[in-house]
Amino acid sequence: MTRHIAVVGAGVAGVGVADACRDTPVEVTLYDKASGISGRAATRRKHGCRYDHGANYIKPGEDAWVDDLLAELGSDGLADIELPVWTHDADGTIAEGRGDEGPKWTYTEGITQFAKRVRKRAGATVHTETRIESIAHEDDGEWTLTDTDGESHGPFDAVVLTPPAPQTADLLAATDWDDERLDRLHVAVDAVAFRTIRTVLLHYPFELERPWYALVDPDRAHPVGWLSREECKPGHVPDGQSLLVVQMAPDWSVERYDEPLDSAADVVAELVADLLDDARLTDPDWVDDQGWRYALPDSSIDAADARCAEDAGLFVAGDWVAGEGRVHLAFENGRTVGERILGHE
Ligand SMILES: Cc1cc2nc3c(=O)[nH]c(=O)nc-3n(C[C@H](O)[C@H](O)[C@H](O)COP(=O)(O)OP(=O)(O)OC[C@H]3O[C@@H](n4cnc5c(N)ncnc54)[C@H](O)[C@@H]3O)c2cc1C
């Protein structure tokens, strides 16, 4: 008998659930408030450039399965960023290497390709621009979802919540289910901390020659937390141009989250010009930004708490369940949840 599963969030964790359930009697329907899929592993196009303004790349680390998966999804357009990541400190001193060499994968068409390819092979139904507002557990044990237009979806045999923990906590607060497992799950999800990052993009009509792809501040003491050169990704920036992706430190980002882009970008460009010791960088020819209110998890949820409502069909998945803000870990977490739904784990 076909079972129907709803997944709130079509980021990499959400498509991971769908991937686990492909070619099985479990039918997965994904809902996302955004106009596309892939969540924080995001890509945008502007002025002839393509840029990943959330996650920068997929880094397999020790996990060989990631390389295998990427090969299965198709190597056309798969691109390794060859130049290394260096570091900078609170004083702006730049130093070579941070000891994590190895492939840094993205796609010529942008990092969203990962989720798009997974979703395509999973064949799951996706409803975009559908923000789920509340959830109800019906008397017969099934689940229904209601979106912000008041439309009801379901019934479903199970529901998986994958938004960042604070947004999942809001959904749990709006869940109609008189059961102590809901309270336990809600308290545990609500306790997961997320940090904020405002990403500012600075474009220049000239090339920037540097021996590194990116700089990261491992001490988190400089207002610039991360700075990378999008032109190091094949197919993203036309020759002779430079596009800097600047992820500001959490304190800076919270303080200036709502500051208009033009004035925030002026400040960022000054900081970048100073850090890279290049006065030309104070004057980008166009800028863009993205505020990530819930960018990366600073803590995670206890595994037993995360699973406490699973026998009633209520699941959570995502990077904050996996324990670290990484594309491949969020995907793997979603896939593992999917396997548990199938009863394969
Ligand atoms: C600035 C930045 C840089 C990063 N750099 C890297 C990196 O270089 N490498 C790396 O591996 N990882 C990086 N990460 C982390 C990586 O992006 C995340 O760990 C991963 O994408 C999380 O996937 P997810 O599916 O768990 O969550 P998400 O991608 O957040 O997906 C959740 C989805 O839920 C949707 N949603 C939320 N609420 C609702 C609702 N009520 N109804 C419907 N839909 C809803 C959202 O629109 C979203 O699409 C970075 C993240 C950020 C923000």
Side-chain angles (χ1 to χ4, degrees):
M1 201 178 79
T2 304
R3 281 194 292 154
H4 298 275
I5 311 296
V7 180
V8 181
V12 293
V15 298
V17 177
D19 196 47
C21 299
R22 74 183 194 278
D23 304 328
T24 75
V26 172
E27 226 169 69
V28 175
T29 306
L30 298 140
Y31 296 91
D32 205 294
K33 64 184 172 65
S35 56
I37 70 165
S38 201
R40 281 171 279 154
T43 306
R44 194 177 284 165
R45 292 177 78 158
K46 204 169 183 175
H47 300 312
C49 294
R50 185 182 272 125
Y51 43 100
D52 301 326
H53 54 291
N56 306 288
Y57 51 80
I58 303 168
K59 188 156 182 57
E62 304 293 306
D63 301 323
W65 66 265
V66 181
D67 289 332
D68 295 343
L69 172 69
L70 294 174
E72 282 170 29
L73 293 173
S75 52
D76 55 305
L78 185 64
D80 180 18
I81 308 164
E82 288 176 3
L83 286 177
V85 177
W86 285 19
T87 63
H88 65 282
D89 65 13
D91 302 328
T93 305
I94 293 172
E96 194 169 336
R98 65 165 183 179
D100 65 345
E101 304 316 324
K104 301 182 280 298
W105 297 116
T106 183
Y107 291 86
T108 51
E109 289 182 66
I111 199 163
T112 49
Q113 275 295 302
F114 175 73
K116 286 178 179 168
R117 290 179 188 203
V118 172
R119 186 248 152 158
K120 192 173 171 202
R121 88 164 177 182
T125 304
V126 184
H127 296 277
T128 52
E129 295 179 344
T130 307
R131 182 191 285 264
I132 301 303
E133 189 170 51
S134 63
I135 301 167
H137 187 255
E138 308 297 341
D139 292 341
D140 58 5
E142 292 186 315
W143 296 87
T144 51
L145 312 178
T146 304
D147 67 29
T148 44
D149 291 331
E151 198 175 322
S152 179
H153 304 268
F156 296 102
D157 299 289
V159 56
V160 186
L161 307 180
T162 73
Q167 293 170 327
T168 291
D170 289 347
L171 282 169
L172 293 170
T175 296
D176 182 10
W177 182 33
D178 187 13
D179 191 290
E180 61 186 21
R181 285 167 290 182
L182 175 62
D183 301 330
R184 176 179 171 189
L185 183 61
H186 184 212
V187 168
V189 174
D190 204 31
V192 177
F194 259 71
R195 79 183 91 130
T196 296
I197 293 176
R198 186 169 181 182
T199 300
V200 176
L201 294 307
L202 307 174
H203 179 271
Y204 302 93
F206 53 81
E207 257 174 80
L208 202 60
E209 291 293 337
R210 291 291 192 278
W212 42 261
Y213 151 63
L215 299 178
V216 64
D217 171 19
D219 307 327
R220 298 195 199 163
H222 194 282
V224 173
W226 165 274
L227 183 163
S228 52
R229 300 193 298 132
E230 198 67 9
E231 61 271 25
C232 296
K233 296 178 178 175
H236 281 223
V237 179
D239 288 348
Q241 304 180 16
S242 186
L243 179 60
L244 300 183
V245 178
V246 190
Q247 292 166 7
M248 300 307 292
D251 287 350
W252 192 100
S253 298
V254 169
E255 207 173 299
R256 294 177 178 266
Y257 196 80
D258 295 318
E259 183 173 335
L261 171 59
D262 281 350
S263 65
D266 281 349
V267 178
V268 173
E270 289 283 346
L271 286 163
V272 166
D274 196 39
L275 180 61
L276 302 189
D277 196 20
D278 186 338
R280 295 176 303 165
L281 301 178
T282 55
D283 191 23
D285 63 347
W286 58 264
V287 299
D288 194 8
D289 75 332
Q290 172 72 40
W292 298 104
R293 175 80 67 195
Y294 306 116
L296 291 166
D298 269 333
S299 62
S300 67
I301 186 169
D302 173 76
D305 288 336
R307 296 185 189 186
C308 72
E310 289 190 355
D311 53 359
L314 181 58
F315 295 76
V316 291
D319 55 356
W320 53 278
V321 184
E324 201 186 336
R326 291 272 154 220
V327 170
H328 69 289
L329 297 179
F331 169 81
E332 186 185 34
N333 187 259
R335 195 163 62 172
T336 307
V337 165
E339 282 164 3
R340 285 209 295 281
I341 290 171
L342 292 170
H344 290 175
E345 201 205 36

